[in-house]
Amino acid sequence: MKMRDSISKKQECKLLPNQRVVGKWHKNSYRIIKQLGYGATGTVYLAEFGNELVALKIASDSMSISSEVNVLRHFSKVQGPSLGPHFIDTDDFVTTQGVYPFYVMEYIQGESFLPFVRQRGAEWVGILIVQLLKDLEKLHQEGWVFGDLKPENLLVTKKPYQVRWIDVGGMTRVGRSIKEYTEFFDRGYWGLGSRKAETSYDLFSVAMLIINRSYPARFEKKGHDSLRTLLTKFREKTELKPYESIFRKGIKGEYSSGLVMRKELIQIIQTTSFTPQVEKQLKSPLRKQQKGLKKKKRKKKKLHIVGFMETLVVASFLLIIYILYLFGQTM
Amino acid sequence: MSKGTLRQILLLTDGCSNTGDDPIAISALAKEEGITVNVIGIVDQGHLNEQGISEIEAIADSGGGISQIVYAKQLSQTVQMVTRKAMTQTIHGVVNKEISQILGEEKELEDLEPEKRGQLMEVVDELGETMDLDIFILVDTSASMKNKLPMVQEALIDLSVSLRSRTGINNFALYSFPGKRKEVDKLIQWTPHFDSLSGAFKKMSTSGVTPTGPALQEAVRLFQKRMKKRGTDEDERFDLEETGM
């Protein structure tokens, strides 16, 4: 059937460096530079449009790409900077093999999320998530849910360091069912909630971003008590300790909005020092520390007494010599 | 009236049929009845023969559905993805038909300019979310499937989690083949969701026969019976006019 070959059986469209892609409808010309990556719905290339660098996503499937364009468009229109890449153009590329729909968006240059947070102290994952939660809040306010939230869909741009999302393929309207997900970040997989698009779905994935920092290879579910598995795994990594309450509430779906989660996270980052020495201190309970302090003080007191005695002895000794000297003088 | 119902058969197997009618022919018949046939081929350690693979693809092709060969471990995500894709594909097919009627022969979605296509996609998305879905799951329980059944069970519960998040109403039925005496055995009658499937696959057959064709035939028959019961067997393939497009 004709319908079929426009959907699943068509070969993927491979573009080569320096190849020109000219749209059938808008006639814009893009020069391909290199491949950037590929996802469930198509391949993304770095391309040149005039003097500008752009990202061009080409697909064999016109359906899923149209949905993505709708989402990108929506947020290009409504929002200021930062809510994902800006939308530039959408068109069809006609080749001898068939017609390939594509779209063009802003090229976001940055470092991958996971390597970035792994190379730095544990405070960084918190700071980037604070940034991310601000954008997510805006998205949720607009009636959308990110859906497939994972490190691969995030980039950290430089000067200043700012997290941005690059793939809008999973974005779903609030109330619908989640279109795309990745098991590790999906609460449905862990048996900790539905796949309905709601704020708490995204916030679950946000919590999983934290634990992913210390388990880059991720892990699978075991048994039925996923909550326990996740909390146990989390506690095994001492560097994540300050985030435990955030993580627990996130995976249990206890945050009503990203704003609340963000506020708590800011509080934690402000009051915690993430450098290793302090981490050690945090590990021992406060009471023990105080006890230790008291002991030191007592020792000091003793030392004072010993010192006083010493001075006394020396003073009396000097006094005796002085008396003897006086006697000597008088004699 | 409601927006109509999407009907799917989901066949999970690990090999080639070896007895009874040609499953590819039965699948074509299912399609004529407005039922989409999706097939998932499960591999162990990469041993699924060429013949098995080509049969799996051909069944889905003639059934207007989607096929996917997958390792047992990745089953959960594949099952839900195939189901969702097939739904969109069916709706897409109907939308395309409408477009041909409006714009003339040989015109379809891709002949529209991208802006209009986007608007149309919104409608397709919306329908996929809100239409009712009847899904008949047919699991091959021949001897070689034995060690894969726990994974199948998990994948089906996962599918139920996914579909329950939709707005539309879902109904599942679970059958296995070969049956003890008949072609297929009923494991679970039509139900809105799978809560637990533990013990569902107890009635295992150890025979080496894989009567995929007859099993599909029985699935189609049971679907027809269900449609008649509902009293809507005239033209149950949903009509776009009903959806207010």
Side-chain angles (χ1 to χ4, degrees):
Chain A
M1 256 201 90
K2 206 166 177 224
M3 183 197 107
R4 286 198 46 74
D5 43 61
S6 69
I7 291 160
S8 56
K9 287 285 139 83
K10 202 157 76 178
Q11 281 283 304
E12 225 169 88
C13 184
K14 261 281 198 212
L15 299 175
L16 300 167
N18 279 322
Q19 189 175 350
R20 283 212 168 266
V21 173
V22 180
K24 171 185 167 187
W25 305 88
H26 305 144
K27 307 283 177 216
N28 288 328
S29 167
Y30 303 93
R31 189 177 65 83
I32 298 298
I33 296 168
K34 64 171 184 180
Q35 185 179 321
L36 290 173
Y38 66 94
T41 52
T43 314
V44 183
Y45 293 91
L46 177 64
E48 201 179 46
F49 176 46
N51 295 320
E52 212 183 328
L53 287 179
V54 293
L56 186 151
K57 184 166 185 176
I58 194 155
S60 47
D61 175 345
S62 74
M63 296 189 301
S64 48
I65 223 171
S66 295
S67 292
E68 285 181 36
V69 169
N70 283 344
V71 176
L72 269 182
R73 271 237 167 102
H74 184 82
F75 289 106
S76 282
K77 249 186 252 164
V78 190
Q79 287 295 334
S82 206
L83 277 179
H86 289 289
F87 171 78
I88 296 170
D89 184 21
T90 177
D91 214 319
D92 289 332
F93 181 44
V94 184
T95 70
T96 46
Q97 275 98 49
V99 181
Y100 295 91
F102 69 88
Y103 69 86
V104 185
M105 59 191 152
E106 172 196 2
Y107 170 56
I108 297 175
Q109 204 166 2
E111 214 176 310
S112 305
F113 184 85
L114 208 51
F116 184 95
V117 294
R118 282 185 63 71
Q119 282 158 17
R120 291 166 175 79
E123 67 273 28
W124 274 100
V125 70
I127 287 157
L128 294 183
I129 285 174
V130 166
Q131 294 179 346
L132 179 66
L133 282 169
K134 194 176 181 182
D135 280 2
L136 280 178
E137 175 65 19
K138 269 192 237 167
L139 189 72
H140 297 156
Q141 293 279 343
E142 290 279 324
W144 289 81
V145 161
F146 193 87
D148 197 8
L149 193 58
K150 56 176 173 181
E152 293 89 323
N153 287 340
L154 301 171
L155 277 182
V156 185
T157 60
K158 258 185 208 159
K159 284 181 196 169
Y161 287 127
Q162 168 75 39
V163 69
R164 294 194 60 185
W165 58 60
I166 48 168
D167 190 340
V168 299
M171 280 198 197
T172 312
R173 259 180 229 274
V174 169
R176 287 192 177 176
S177 51
I178 294 292
K179 269 194 271 190
E180 255 177 59
Y181 61 83
T182 304
E183 282 179 345
F184 188 75
F185 302 91
D186 165 47
R187 66 179 186 188
Y189 169 77
W190 295 101
L192 292 170
S194 72
R195 294 206 177 104
K196 216 175 211 1
E198 40 194 30
T199 306
S200 52
Y201 186 90
D202 274 349
L203 300 184
F204 179 94
S205 310
V206 168
M208 294 303 285
L209 284 176
I210 304 176
I211 196 171
N212 194 193
R213 182 204 175 267
S214 296
Y215 292 93
R218 298 169 194 172
F219 49 88
E220 283 169 28
K221 65 173 166 188
K222 268 186 211 111
H224 288 291
D225 197 353
S226 289
L227 195 63
R228 209 160 137 198
T229 311
L230 288 171
L231 286 173
T232 312
K233 287 271 185 190
F234 194 91
R235 286 176 188 140
E236 277 169 23
K237 302 289 178 182
T238 47
E239 70 273 19
L240 298 180
K241 180 85 186 165
Y243 298 123
E244 193 178 315
S245 64
I246 300 277
F247 178 74
R248 194 185 58 242
K249 286 163 101 172
I251 59 170
K252 283 170 90 176
E254 285 175 3
Y255 286 115
S256 55
S257 80
L259 221 58
V260 180
M261 192 179 191
R262 185 169 180 267
K263 224 175 164 181
E264 282 184 26
L265 192 53
I266 290 175
Q267 190 68 31
I268 284 172
I269 299 170
Q270 274 174 350
T271 53
T272 315
S273 179
F274 286 82
T275 46
Q277 303 168 335
V278 185
E279 252 173 40
K280 239 184 232 166
Q281 253 188 24
L282 273 175
K283 240 166 58 183
S284 61
L286 213 66
R287 229 191 311 144
K288 221 176 170 182
Q289 274 179 36
Q290 278 175 345
K291 235 186 191 172
L293 272 173
K294 262 184 196 165
K295 248 186 199 165
K296 258 187 204 163
K297 261 186 192 166
R298 211 175 289 157
K299 253 187 205 162
K300 257 188 193 164
K301 245 184 205 166
K302 262 186 198 163
L303 273 172
H304 273 280
I305 294 165
V306 171
F308 180 68
M309 296 289 270
E310 268 173 6
T311 353
L312 208 70
V313 169
V314 172
S316 41
F317 184 69
L318 281 173
L319 195 72
I320 290 163
I321 291 182
Y322 181 61
I323 291 167
L324 284 176
Y325 169 74
L326 281 180
F327 270 110
Q329 288 272 316
T330 51
M331 274 169 114
Chain B
M1 218 202 108
S2 74
K3 287 179 174 176
T5 306
L6 289 168
R7 300 208 162 74
Q8 292 188 2
I9 292 174
L10 176 65
L11 172 67
L12 295 146
T13 182
D14 69 343
C16 212
S17 66
N18 53 20
T19 178
D21 285 355
D22 184 358
I24 301 162
I26 308 294
S27 186
L29 177 80
K31 192 182 161 204
E32 290 303 312
E33 293 289 325
I35 304 163
T36 310
V37 184
N38 299 313
V39 194
I40 294 177
I42 310 167
V43 272
D44 249 342
Q45 249 71 57
H47 76 276
L48 193 106
N49 59 25
E50 202 57 40
Q51 196 190 0
I53 292 172
S54 71
E55 187 184 84
I56 283 163
E57 282 171 358
I59 296 172
D61 253 2
S62 72
I66 290 169
S67 68
Q68 185 86 39
I69 310 290
V70 68
Y71 287 107
K73 253 189 93 173
Q74 305 156 322
L75 199 57
S76 291
Q77 208 155 19
T78 309
V79 164
Q80 79 86 27
M81 193 197 72
V82 162
T83 305
R84 181 178 286 275
K85 258 196 170 172
M87 284 165 67
T88 317
Q89 180 169 307
T90 310
I91 299 165
H92 190 246
V94 179
V95 171
N96 258 348
K97 222 184 271 169
E98 289 290 305
I99 294 169
S100 323
Q101 272 172 23
I102 298 164
L103 303 177
E105 286 285 307
E106 294 299 306
K107 293 267 183 183
E108 53 177 55
L109 202 51
E110 282 168 6
D111 298 306
L112 287 175
E113 53 184 295
E115 282 71 21
K116 287 190 177 135
R117 208 183 293 161
Q119 288 167 15
L120 221 66
M121 256 328 283
E122 296 253 312
V123 179
V124 173
D125 272 354
E126 174 74 26
L127 283 173
E129 183 65 29
T130 53
M131 279 184 74
D132 295 346
L133 172 71
D134 277 1
I135 176 161
F136 189 103
I137 299 156
L138 199 52
V139 182
D140 176 355
T141 51
S142 58
S144 58
M145 280 288 288
K146 192 173 178 178
N147 58 340
K148 296 161 202 145
L149 289 178
M151 249 80 91
V152 169
Q153 197 169 307
E154 197 173 297
L156 295 181
I157 290 174
D158 193 81
L159 177 68
S160 176
V161 170
S162 263
L163 295 180
R164 213 187 310 175
S165 307
R166 296 189 330 124
T167 318
I169 297 163
N170 313 290
N171 275 292
F172 302 87
L174 179 62
Y175 281 71
S176 67
F177 72 100
K180 265 203 174 123
R181 280 177 201 87
K182 293 175 286 177
E183 262 74 32
V184 297
D185 271 348
K186 176 173 79 190
L187 300 181
I188 290 171
Q189 183 61 280
W190 291 103
T191 168
H193 48 77
F194 293 143
D195 273 328
S196 161
L197 292 176
S198 48
F201 293 110
K202 259 182 194 155
K203 296 178 261 179
M204 279 272 306
S205 154
T206 42
S207 76
V209 287
T210 311
T212 312
L216 275 175
Q217 207 161 18
E218 188 61 13
V220 173
R221 201 186 63 78
L222 286 162
F223 243 131
Q224 284 168 331
K225 206 173 127 194
R226 178 175 167 79
M227 290 183 221
K228 276 212 184 91
K229 227 183 193 170
R230 281 187 168 178
T232 47
D233 55 325
E234 283 170 34
D235 190 8
E236 254 279 324
R237 269 160 280 175
F238 76 98
D239 198 350
L240 233 71
E241 274 155 11
E242 285 170 17
T243 68
M245 246 197 75

